[in-house]
Amino acid sequence: MKKSVYVLVFIAFALGGCSSMKIDEIKNSAQRLVLEEYFSGKTRAWGLFEDRFGTIRRQFVVDIDGKWDGTELVLNEDFTFADGEKSNRVWRIRKLANGTYEGSANDIIGVATGTVGGNALHWRYVLDLEIAKGRTMAVQLDDWMFLQPHGVLMNRARMSKFGIELGQITISFSKISEDSSNKKTAATNLQPYAADSAKAYQPSGIFYKTATRHPNIPNSQ
């Protein structure tokens, strides 16, 4: 019996989604990320979700319109997925003291918390997943963003439940000028693989969807 318990504990740690990286390890980076400055105005991102087995389940492009009023950063995010599906979500992020932030969105349980240091943001929150009509499940997101030269922001997030990793999300953000922010471009960028996406990106049974079709979760249709 004890041996079985030890095996289960080992598996949980081996598959754990919690990051061992610390923001203090990055705070002296030459690059400096100021969240409200980076996301003010127009930003475009390209991303994908892969399950715990390394299978890509969803790909998407997102156009972000950010507004900063000195206290709150509002991010209006329009997603276009590889299968042609579209969705929208709105983040409201408040800047606190000592490089910390709090945020909320309609499918976030409680408050998202983040800390900036050097070129990085460490962002954690609990996502409320719709697993069936009228039923939801809370999962944890451990999210890291890293500012790179030429305005590129790299994002890597781990999704977990009870410490067991369910999948990872990779996103690359880039600032765009006003004359190149036509959202038709985002849809066009997805066309090369949109035709076969219904076959290629069907999820396994353990993955679900959110009411707002959060990009971190594969399509469960």
Side-chain angles (χ1 to χ4, degrees):
M1 180 65 178
K2 287 185 177 180
K3 183 177 181 181
S4 298
V5 172
Y6 293 150
V7 170
L8 289 174
V9 171
F10 174 79
I11 292 173
F13 276 102
L15 298 175
C18 294
S19 171
S20 61
M21 194 183 322
K22 306 298 182 185
I23 198 73
D24 287 343
E25 299 171 359
I26 311 165
K27 65 181 181 180
N28 295 323
S29 169
Q31 290 275 103
R32 311 300 294 179
L33 174 61
V34 181
L35 194 66
E36 61 274 18
E37 290 182 4
Y38 184 87
F39 281 107
S40 290
K42 305 289 185 181
T43 309
R44 178 165 294 150
W46 298 260
L48 57 85
F49 175 93
E50 55 187 305
D51 65 23
R52 60 192 288 183
F53 306 108
T55 302
I56 295 175
R57 296 297 183 179
R58 298 211 84 182
Q59 299 188 54
F60 58 89
V61 173
V62 55
D63 280 288
I64 305 168
D65 186 9
K67 290 181 169 45
W68 167 248
D69 65 4
T71 302
E72 183 180 66
L73 175 65
V74 178
L75 301 179
N76 191 336
E77 302 176 336
D78 288 320
F79 293 89
T80 302
F81 292 89
D83 57 7
E85 183 179 352
K86 297 178 185 296
S87 70
N88 173 268
R89 76 195 316 262
V90 178
W91 273 102
R92 296 185 177 276
I93 300 171
R94 296 170 298 282
K95 186 173 185 178
L96 306 178
N98 302 318
T100 60
Y101 294 83
E102 287 185 348
S104 62
N106 57 316
D107 56 354
I108 300 301
I109 298 174
V111 177
T113 59
T115 304
V116 167
N119 70 327
L121 166 70
H122 187 201
W123 191 238
R124 287 183 173 181
Y125 54 94
V126 178
L127 187 67
D128 192 31
L129 299 187
E130 183 183 4
I131 60 176
K133 189 173 182 179
R135 295 178 58 198
T136 61
M137 178 179 72
V139 296
Q140 289 72 42
L141 271 294
D142 191 298
D143 202 333
W144 283 89
M145 296 183 180
F146 299 92
L147 181 63
Q148 303 299 303
H150 309 296
V152 174
L153 185 66
M154 302 299 297
N155 182 196
R156 186 72 166 174
R158 293 180 178 180
M159 182 177 67
S160 63
K161 179 71 175 178
F162 299 129
I164 299 176
E165 186 174 303
L166 302 179
Q168 297 194 22
I169 306 95
T170 304
I171 307 175
S172 177
F173 298 85
S174 182
K175 299 299 297 181
I176 59 175
S177 60
E178 293 294 330
D179 59 356
S180 64
S181 62
N182 190 330
K183 291 175 184 172
K184 290 182 179 179
T185 305
T188 300
N189 288 343
L190 291 167
Q191 287 177 359
Y193 52 77
D196 63 353
S197 62
K199 178 179 179 181
Y201 304 110
Q202 290 300 313
S204 60
I206 65 171
F207 294 103
Y208 305 98
K209 62 184 177 181
T210 65
T212 57
R213 192 70 80 211
H214 193 281
N216 293 353
I217 310 301
N219 196 329
S220 62
Q221 293 180 349

